[in-house]
Amino acid sequence: TALKLPSLYGGRTAAGRQQLVRKFGGSARTETAVLRALRWLKETQNPNGSWSRTEPDAMAGFGLLTFLAHGETPVSEEFGETVQRAMKYLADRMGAVDPQGKRPYLSREYTHGIATYALSEAYGLTRIPFLKPPMETGLTIIVQGQQKAGGFDYYYKKGARWDTSVTGWQVQALKAGYVAGAEVPGLMEAMEKAISFLRNTAYRDGKFGYTSPGVTNSMGIQGVGSLCLQLLGEGNCTEARRVLDYIATTEK
């Protein structure tokens, strides 16, 4: 299988980050900009651990991911409390049910994918036990919400419509959960199906499509498709390489 995936966490240590900064053209200036952004997020976090009034769940996922990408955990001196609050907020939200006890509140596809992605990275990086059950709850919903052809749609519908944008967040969550060691039935099969979807359904004539094969001018969709194939171990496949060439030549 192509799913021989390296760890996501090698660049999260101070030494690993310095190595990547040198390798990819970073500098003291770029590192200072990152710290300024993290400090702004720390200052603007809501008391309950979320961010934003209108989209607190999705923004909590985004916010937490930024700190995790910098290697911050609950024991970090400057950002530990911020990270801890965000983790608890998302874990509680993933475990919540509606008044009928049937479905998590994080049910909308974009929000759910982002939150599951963040919880998966959080568990993978820290191994804190309370994060594993909500991570696996989120991943189970994603696996069960996947369409037969391997894509995803709004509200995890199983109809004829598919959506590469929605699929992108689910794939990132699946990959992060896999690397974190999630024990979810069907997780590997879901990633294999996602590869098939991206290569055989969403792609045509050198581009990924948004809701139809190859039909979009959106560079964002091209980035989503090629990134997901790279995350799933298919970065050298024909589809990924052609789309990367398309992005490189079009963006000049």
Side-chain angles (χ1 to χ4, degrees):
T1 175
L3 288 167
K4 297 178 180 178
L5 304 175
S7 173
L8 290 174
Y9 316 122
R12 310 296 176 92
T13 65
R17 198 160 53 247
Q18 289 176 3
Q19 183 179 7
L20 292 176
V21 166
R22 290 192 298 268
K23 181 177 180 180
F24 294 108
S27 65
R29 186 175 182 182
T30 62
E31 288 296 281
T32 298
V34 170
L35 283 171
R36 288 180 63 192
L38 293 178
R39 287 164 182 156
W40 180 85
L41 285 168
K42 175 183 176 180
E43 293 170 1
T44 57
Q45 187 182 36
N46 295 325
N48 68 354
S50 67
W51 282 269
S52 170
R53 294 181 180 179
T54 57
E55 294 288 347
D57 298 333
M59 295 304 110
F62 279 138
L64 178 56
L65 282 166
T66 62
F67 288 98
L68 297 172
H70 200 251
E72 307 298 339
T73 72
V75 299
S76 298
E77 182 177 354
E78 183 172 1
F79 302 114
E81 185 176 349
T82 303
V83 172
Q84 175 71 20
R85 286 202 301 259
M87 287 179 174
K88 185 177 186 306
Y89 175 83
L90 284 175
D92 289 346
R93 293 293 285 171
M94 187 63 76
V97 295
D98 67 13
Q100 287 74 42
K102 293 183 178 180
R103 58 188 298 185
Y105 285 113
L106 290 171
S107 59
R108 190 162 189 270
E109 71 298 323
Y110 281 112
T111 299
H112 184 86
I114 294 165
T116 303
Y117 178 18
L119 286 167
S120 296
E121 284 224 348
Y123 177 70
L125 187 62
T126 69
R127 285 301 195 251
I128 296 175
F130 87 85
L131 294 168
K132 189 177 183 184
M135 171 190 70
E136 293 182 338
T137 294
L139 291 167
T140 298
I141 291 170
I142 292 174
V143 169
Q144 293 175 350
Q146 190 175 34
Q147 296 173 330
K148 185 177 181 180
F152 295 86
D153 191 19
Y154 295 147
Y155 299 102
Y156 299 110
K157 293 178 181 178
K158 298 295 185 71
R161 183 189 186 276
W162 47 262
D163 189 308
T164 302
S165 176
V166 172
T167 299
W169 289 110
Q170 317 313 311
V171 167
Q172 290 180 87
L174 291 170
K175 160 70 182 284
Y178 175 80
V179 173
E183 300 173 276
V184 173
L187 178 60
M188 176 69 78
E189 292 82 357
M191 291 189 292
E192 295 279 10
K193 286 171 64 178
I195 291 171
S196 178
F197 165 77
L198 290 165
R199 297 188 66 180
N200 302 320
T201 302
Y203 176 89
R204 181 181 291 171
D205 299 330
K207 292 193 297 183
F208 291 106
Y210 172 40
T211 58
S212 299
V215 182
T216 182
N217 292 320
S218 168
M219 282 297 157
I221 294 299
Q222 307 317 311
V224 167
S226 56
L227 172 64
C228 287
L229 285 175
Q230 292 174 69
L231 289 173
L232 295 175
E234 292 283 345
N236 286 321
C237 71
T238 299
E239 294 79 8
R241 294 178 69 86
R242 285 183 177 174
V243 170
L244 289 171
D245 288 341
Y246 172 71
I247 293 172
T249 56
T250 305
E251 289 293 292
K252 285 183 179 179

